[in-house]
Amino acid sequence: MLLTLTLLSAQAATVYTGSTEAFDAVKVDVGGYVQPRFTLEQQDASVGHSGELGFAVRRARLETGASFTRSGKGLALGLSLETMPDARLQDAWAELRLADPLCLRVGQFKSPSTRWMLISSTATLLQDGPAIEDLAPKREIGAQLGGFLGEHHLDWGFGAFNGEKTNREANVDRNLLYAGRVAVSPLGASSKVVDVLPSDWSLHGGDAPPDTRNPQATFTLGARGFRNLLGAEGTGEGQWGLGLELFAHYRWINLQGEWMTGQTDWEDVAIADYKSGGFYGQLALFPPMVPWAQDHLALVGRFEQSDAQDPLVEGSVPLVSATDPAQERREILAGLVLFAGEPWFKGLHSAKVQLSYAFRQELEGLPYANDELLLASQLAF
């Protein structure tokens, strides 16, 4: 109800109070978004795969944040709540900004991990991320030092976390997750490492379609890594991962890709150790020569391949079925995205509609029918 009423308002709530006795500027933001969808996924009764046919809400989120600054220094706060399929906390953090190159964030927030995960869900061209996103840490409880130089010519972040994902009251063991990321953008980048709202990153500096007539180009190269220990002594597991990222945008061309590799080692010798990893590449074209289409339509293609569990000893853990999540997989996706925000809908930061088809392949000799047609939309304020 709150989301609906806010969407009907003239503008999302962004309040600048100006200078005060203690701060040069105080800013408070309230926002949110909803992502309804219709999914038609093939079923294959021969392997017990029921597929999917029907409507769902991918995300329905409320976000708020505030910043209090003086001469570029100050304090920022972020809070976000996911309401689907049930209410749960997403982000809750406080950040001390000593300067652009040095900020300290504590609480529950996005760890320095895959670029796809760090980008706000409202700003990705496609609603669903690549499979390798699930092979790396996401939101964690902990502390992080980070910042940027210049116009985000260099972004960095390193942190220590409990390593047990979100909404855990305390660390259940005496081990920590360590993660870090460094990204270089020689021409500068519009992405923000620290922002008021909990969604830290944006694809084009905002939740609107890119300015396809702006001749300024940007590209980013990044590297990241993590090390995590879980469980009690004698029965625990150790995880590590390394990744690389590439992002480039110039007028009507948008390119993004990531690669990662990792490994999980078990103390119990009866449990097989395994590797994990994969890659994806995504290309978006905003049709040139047609001004309206160039500003409102994007043709998107993505090629990805991943293996969540590849035993270090070949054949030591055979697949149990075609739907075994350990099977290596490939997905080729093609889609069309319509940016339907301003000027059509005043007060919406972004409104998008996505129509896509994903052709899926299984690469270890056990194929089954599971291609997917997706019609998804987004309203954000």
Side-chain angles (χ1 to χ4, degrees):
M1 185 181 298
L2 174 63
L3 182 62
T4 303
L5 291 175
T6 308
L7 286 172
L8 295 175
S9 66
Q11 185 68 38
T14 301
V15 180
Y16 295 89
T17 65
S19 60
T20 66
E21 183 176 347
F23 303 102
D24 295 335
V26 177
K27 180 182 179 182
V28 178
D29 272 345
V30 177
Y33 58 93
V34 61
Q35 295 177 336
R37 57 169 51 190
F38 173 79
T39 304
L40 174 58
E41 183 188 24
Q42 289 179 310
Q43 61 177 345
D44 193 334
S46 66
V47 298
H49 177 64
S50 60
E52 183 179 352
L53 171 62
F55 301 91
V57 176
R58 177 70 173 87
R59 300 178 183 91
R61 195 166 297 175
L62 296 175
E63 300 180 327
T64 184
S67 64
F68 311 85
T69 58
R70 186 179 185 86
S71 301
K73 304 176 182 179
L75 180 69
L77 307 171
L79 181 70
S80 68
L81 177 70
E82 177 63 54
T83 63
M84 292 291 293
D86 48 38
R88 62 184 182 275
L89 183 68
Q90 289 290 105
D91 300 271
W93 52 262
E95 183 173 80
L96 178 63
R97 300 179 177 177
L98 302 175
D100 288 345
L102 184 60
C103 302
L104 172 64
R105 178 175 294 192
V106 295
Q108 179 168 290
F109 53 93
K110 294 179 178 181
S111 61
S113 188
T114 64
R115 180 183 179 88
W116 189 282
M117 191 272 298
L118 290 172
I119 295 173
S120 167
S121 300
T122 62
T124 57
L125 287 170
L126 300 174
Q127 276 193 13
D128 296 335
I132 65 169
E133 182 189 10
D134 296 325
L135 304 181
K138 295 185 178 181
R139 285 176 168 87
E140 298 282 352
I141 300 175
Q144 173 184 290
L145 285 174
F148 64 93
L149 295 175
E151 296 181 359
H152 294 274
H153 292 92
L154 173 68
D155 292 307
W156 69 280
F158 293 92
F161 307 87
N162 286 346
E164 290 150 355
K165 301 183 179 179
T166 61
N167 299 333
R168 303 293 295 269
E169 292 184 355
N171 192 6
V172 300
D173 53 35
R174 298 183 62 84
N175 302 314
L176 294 176
L177 159 70
Y178 299 96
R181 176 181 177 275
V182 175
V184 178
S185 305
L187 303 180
S190 60
S191 302
K192 297 179 180 180
V193 174
V194 288
D195 204 347
V196 171
L197 288 178
S199 302
D200 301 335
W201 286 70
S202 61
L203 188 59
H204 306 292
D207 292 335
D211 184 357
T212 55
R213 295 182 178 84
N214 188 342
Q216 183 176 358
T218 182
F219 73 93
T220 301
L221 296 173
R224 58 180 174 80
F226 73 90
R227 180 75 172 105
N228 193 18
L229 298 176
L230 294 166
E233 185 175 352
T235 60
E237 60 178 296
Q239 304 170 342
W240 63 264
L242 299 172
L244 299 173
E245 67 179 65
L246 166 68
F247 172 77
H249 179 81
Y250 178 69
R251 288 189 173 178
W252 46 272
I253 299 177
N254 187 285
L255 176 66
Q256 179 172 317
E258 293 187 76
W259 168 89
M260 74 161 293
T261 185
Q263 186 170 314
T264 298
D265 300 312
W266 296 87
E267 286 190 78
D268 187 346
V269 296
I271 304 177
D273 300 335
Y274 60 85
K275 299 179 293 182
S276 59
F279 65 91
Y280 76 89
Q282 177 179 294
L283 176 64
L285 300 176
F286 298 83
M289 310 303 294
V290 182
W292 183 90
Q294 187 171 327
D295 291 339
H296 293 280
L297 292 177
L299 300 172
V300 186
R302 186 170 72 196
F303 181 95
E304 63 171 290
Q305 190 165 312
S306 65
D307 195 342
Q309 297 181 17
D310 181 14
L312 293 180
V313 179
E314 186 175 355
S316 60
V317 185
L319 298 175
V320 298
S321 69
T323 58
D324 192 325
Q327 185 168 194
E328 186 175 9
R329 302 174 187 275
R330 175 185 296 153
E331 179 177 289
I332 303 172
L333 181 148
L336 177 67
V337 179
L338 168 67
F339 291 87
E342 302 236 9
W344 296 348
F345 300 105
K346 296 292 184 181
L348 288 179
H349 287 183
S350 69
K352 292 184 293 189
V353 179
Q354 168 192 332
L355 178 64
S356 61
Y357 187 85
F359 174 66
R360 294 167 175 168
Q361 297 174 291
E362 289 68 47
L363 304 180
E364 295 186 32
L366 295 175
Y368 67 102
N370 62 340
D371 293 355
E372 179 186 81
L373 176 68
L374 177 64
L375 177 61
S377 61
Q378 170 184 288
L379 294 175
F381 63 93

